[in-house]
Amino acid sequence: MSLASRLRAIGVLGMNRRNGVYTSRWNRRAHYPSVDDKLETKRLLRDAGIATAPVLAVARTYSEVRGMLRELDAYASFVIKPAHGAMGNGILVVSERDGDWFRRTGGQWIDRRALAYHSQSIISGAYALGGQPDVAFAEERLSVHPDLRAISTEGVPDVRVVVYRGVPVMSMTRLPTHRSRGRANLHQGAVGAGIELDSGVTNFAVCDGRAVDVHPDTQQAVLARAIPDFERVLEIAVRASDQTRLGYVGADVVVDEDHGPLVLELNARPGLAIQIANRAGLVPRLEEVDRRVRPEMHWPERIALGREIARRARGGALQ
Ligand SMILES: Nc1ncnc2c1ncn2[C@@H]1O[C@H](COP(=O)(O)OP(=O)(O)O)[C@@H](O)[C@H]1O
Ligand SMILES: [Mg+2]
């Protein structure tokens, strides 16, 4: 069997069908701005009492950059990112500072001028989804949960949860590597490890499209790892998705050492590689949700449904 037909046989969702059937039907364009703009997402979730990564400073224009950097003088580490960024582009993680010198994750030291220049490029739209003028903001640098430290280098892992019609259908953790420079994006070279929804434990992993069982930098096992506080991760992913009025959402959650699980961002066009990291297709799960979800179900019931569907899918019952 060719790879394409093997993928079809396990119900792997492709880009055309994701766009043509799922996002076009369930994600109305009018609701995109609330997730495409990370600051808007934070506002939306704050109103609903859902924790997000704390914002330290914002620069909307070139002339506000100096003020943003001045506010950051109070912090030894932080992250500067574009409000409309994606796939880790434009994210600069500062892990250490010495006066006007800042150490980026990855080891390189840059000065204040370089930091200002980076912030200005963000504002000019260099990293924005559509190339339009953007907003630069700084976030508190989150810290890696001790349980995941051995399998994350330079940065913070996140947990991606795909939520369909309010039901969590698939999940993976993305583990940063030296090469991904502290960002947990697969495109940047991070490891993606599929998580069993019912147990919260990793059971398969890929890096650069190849199966791996250890982290490439630390050689520590990435399989059979329990995600800390996974119950709460699912809860905030689902409740955040409920706030967006989008039916197909990729929620990025970080389990911060001090704050616990918080939403980093939400995506209206989540990538499809999560299926590779889980060795499983989304289609059977999405179709099962269509058959079984009811409008009156509250989030705990929808989480229970998603877990049951994932468990049966793994047993082969739906494939
Ligand atoms: N505040 C933060 N602290 C530490 N790492 C972060 C922070 N924000 C982002 N990162 C790292 O960068 C990755 C991408 O961030 P995210 O906000 O999801 O942007 P994108 O839309 O580009 O994916 C995260 O998965 C994480 O590894
Ligand atoms: Mg992300």
Side-chain angles (χ1 to χ4, degrees):
M1 229 191 325
S2 71
L3 179 61
S5 44
R6 273 210 316 269
L7 293 176
R8 256 196 313 278
I10 60 164
V12 166
L13 181 63
M15 190 71 86
N16 288 340
R17 185 152 173 203
R18 183 201 68 185
N19 295 339
V21 178
Y22 294 101
T23 51
S24 71
R25 185 178 304 162
W26 293 103
N27 290 354
R28 291 208 2 237
R29 282 201 169 269
H31 302 315
Y32 275 22
S34 63
V35 295
D36 282 350
D37 180 329
K38 291 184 168 66
L39 291 170
E40 273 305 313
T41 309
K42 287 175 192 291
R43 191 176 354 229
L44 188 73
L45 299 186
R46 186 177 52 230
D47 292 347
I50 300 169
T52 63
V55 174
L56 305 178
V58 179
R60 296 184 181 275
T61 59
Y62 289 165
S63 58
E64 287 178 9
V65 167
R66 189 195 283 260
M68 177 172 86
L69 296 188
R70 216 177 298 121
E71 284 181 63
L72 293 176
D73 281 341
Y75 302 90
S77 67
F78 50 82
V79 174
I80 294 184
K81 59 165 83 169
H84 287 88
M87 300 193 300
N89 294 324
I91 295 186
L92 196 154
V93 183
V94 169
S95 53
E96 195 184 335
R97 81 184 288 165
D98 183 1
D100 279 344
W101 287 85
F102 304 85
R103 184 182 177 274
R104 295 186 68 157
T105 51
Q108 185 195 6
W109 284 85
I110 59 173
D111 65 7
R112 203 178 180 90
R113 273 194 17 225
L115 212 55
Y117 179 75
H118 182 80
S119 309
Q120 286 164 351
S121 328
I122 290 177
I123 293 169
S124 75
Y127 307 104
L129 289 170
Q132 77 278 25
D134 202 355
V135 173
F137 70 100
E139 258 176 10
E140 188 176 301
R141 183 169 73 106
L142 303 173
S143 45
V144 187
H145 192 282
D147 293 2
L148 300 176
R149 234 167 250 163
I151 50 170
S152 311
T153 31
E154 310 275 348
V156 177
D158 68 8
V159 179
R160 163 64 61 87
V161 183
V162 174
V163 183
Y164 177 56
R165 301 181 62 187
V167 179
V169 289
M170 203 174 269
S171 172
M172 68 171 160
T173 181
R174 299 180 300 184
L175 309 162
T177 58
H178 278 305
R179 202 155 66 70
S180 76
R181 286 211 194 156
R183 298 159 300 180
N185 300 83
L186 300 187
H187 283 92
Q188 310 285 355
V191 173
I195 303 170
E196 290 175 359
L197 279 186
D198 45 340
S199 64
V201 172
T202 58
N203 64 1
F204 188 66
V206 287
C207 187
D208 281 326
R210 277 179 295 113
V212 292
D213 47 26
V214 295
H215 190 281
D217 304 325
T218 67
Q219 309 303 321
Q220 299 286 313
V222 292
L223 307 184
R225 294 270 177 182
I227 302 301
D229 226 348
F230 190 63
E231 300 287 323
R232 179 108 178 108
V233 170
L234 287 181
E235 175 191 330
I236 66 171
V238 167
R239 288 177 51 225
S241 146
D242 287 352
Q243 290 303 310
T244 63
R245 304 171 71 188
L246 298 166
Y248 192 93
V249 175
D252 291 350
V253 178
V254 169
V255 186
D256 178 77
E257 184 181 10
D258 307 310
H259 301 291
L262 41 78
V263 173
L264 195 53
E265 64 147 350
L266 301 172
N267 298 277
R269 310 165 205 75
L272 298 163
I274 191 170
Q275 301 171 107
I276 310 300
N278 275 274
R279 250 189 323 190
L282 278 162
V283 173
R285 303 187 188 194
L286 302 176
E287 290 179 344
E288 183 77 353
V289 169
D290 283 335
R291 282 191 289 273
R292 297 182 52 189
V293 72
R294 297 286 170 266
E296 65 277 8
M297 284 181 167
H298 289 307
W299 61 263
E301 287 170 89
R302 286 184 266 119
I303 290 176
L305 175 62
R307 291 179 133 168
E308 190 207 317
I309 290 173
R311 185 164 54 238
R312 290 182 50 202
R314 213 178 41 250
L318 294 176
Q319 289 180 21

